[in-house]
C-alpha cells in the first residue's frame, strides 16, 4: 500500500533539489491503468504533450494550471479533480504542487483498431 501523503512530501522535496524542478513516481501499473504522482516547483511546466485515451488529474497539494491546445485551460487547487481533455495539453505549477495523474493507456476501441499490416 502506498501512502500518498508521504510520497507527495518526499517527491516535492526531491523536486526542490532538481535543476528541472520536478519529480515523478509511477506507483501503480495494472494493465492499461497507470497512476503517477508528479511534484512540480513553482513555475515548472510539463510542456505540451498528447493526452492518453482517458485520464484525470487530482491536485494533492498546491495550485496548477492545466492547459489544452483547443479547450483553453483551467486552474486547479488542492482537493480538486479534473478530467484531462482529449487533446494536447500542458501543466504549469502556479505554486509548489503535487498532483495525482490517473491514466488509461488503452481502451476497448483502441484494442479493436487494426494494427499495422492487417
Amino acid at each position: 500500500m502506498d501512502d500518498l501523503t508521504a510520497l507527495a512530501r518526499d517527491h516535492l522535496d526531491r523536486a526542490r533539489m532538481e535543476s528541472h524542478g520536478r519529480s515523478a513516481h509511477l506507483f501503480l501499473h495494472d494493465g492499461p491503468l497507470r497512476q503517477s504522482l508528479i511534484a512540480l516547483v513553482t513555475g515548472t511546466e510539463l510542456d505540451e504533450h498528447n493526452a492518453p485515451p482517458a485520464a484525470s488529474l487530482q491536485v494533492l497539494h498546491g495550485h496548477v494550471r492545466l492547459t489544452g491546445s483547443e479547450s483553453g485551460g483551467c486552474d486547479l487547487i488542492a482537493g480538486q479533480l479534473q478530467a484531462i481533455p482529449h487533446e494536447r495539453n500542458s501543466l504549469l505549477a502556479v505554486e509548489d504542487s503535487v498532483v495525482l495523474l490517473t491514466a488509461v493507456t488503452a481502451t476497448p476501441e483502441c484494442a479493436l483498431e487494426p494494427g499495422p499490416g492487417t
Side-chain angles (χ1 to χ4, degrees):
M1 178 185 325
D2 289 293
D3 180 339
L4 286 179
T5 302
L7 278 173
R9 189 174 324 125
D10 179 49
H11 282 276
L12 191 51
D13 288 343
R14 289 180 189 198
R16 288 174 177 142
M17 292 187 295
E18 294 290 341
S19 60
H20 51 70
R22 63 183 180 268
S23 179
H25 175 65
L26 173 66
F27 65 90
L28 188 140
H29 180 186
D30 184 11
L33 178 64
R34 310 281 188 278
Q35 283 195 304
S36 299
L37 182 126
I38 304 168
L40 305 164
V41 297
T42 303
T44 300
E45 183 171 17
L46 297 180
D47 293 332
E48 191 174 272
H49 54 277
N50 292 329
S56 67
L57 190 72
Q58 180 181 2
V59 181
L60 302 175
H61 173 82
H63 176 184
V64 298
R65 181 167 300 126
L66 176 64
T67 304
S69 60
E70 297 172 16
S71 62
C74 66
D75 280 31
L76 302 164
I77 59 171
Q80 293 184 319
L81 175 72
Q82 174 69 41
I84 294 178
H86 297 185
E87 61 189 12
R88 292 183 59 78
N89 61 79
S90 63
L91 185 68
L92 170 71
V94 177
E95 60 186 51
D96 287 1
S97 301
V98 181
V99 299
L100 174 64
L101 172 66
T102 301
V104 176
T105 59
T107 61
E109 294 80 25
C110 292
L112 296 176
E113 292 176 4
T118 58

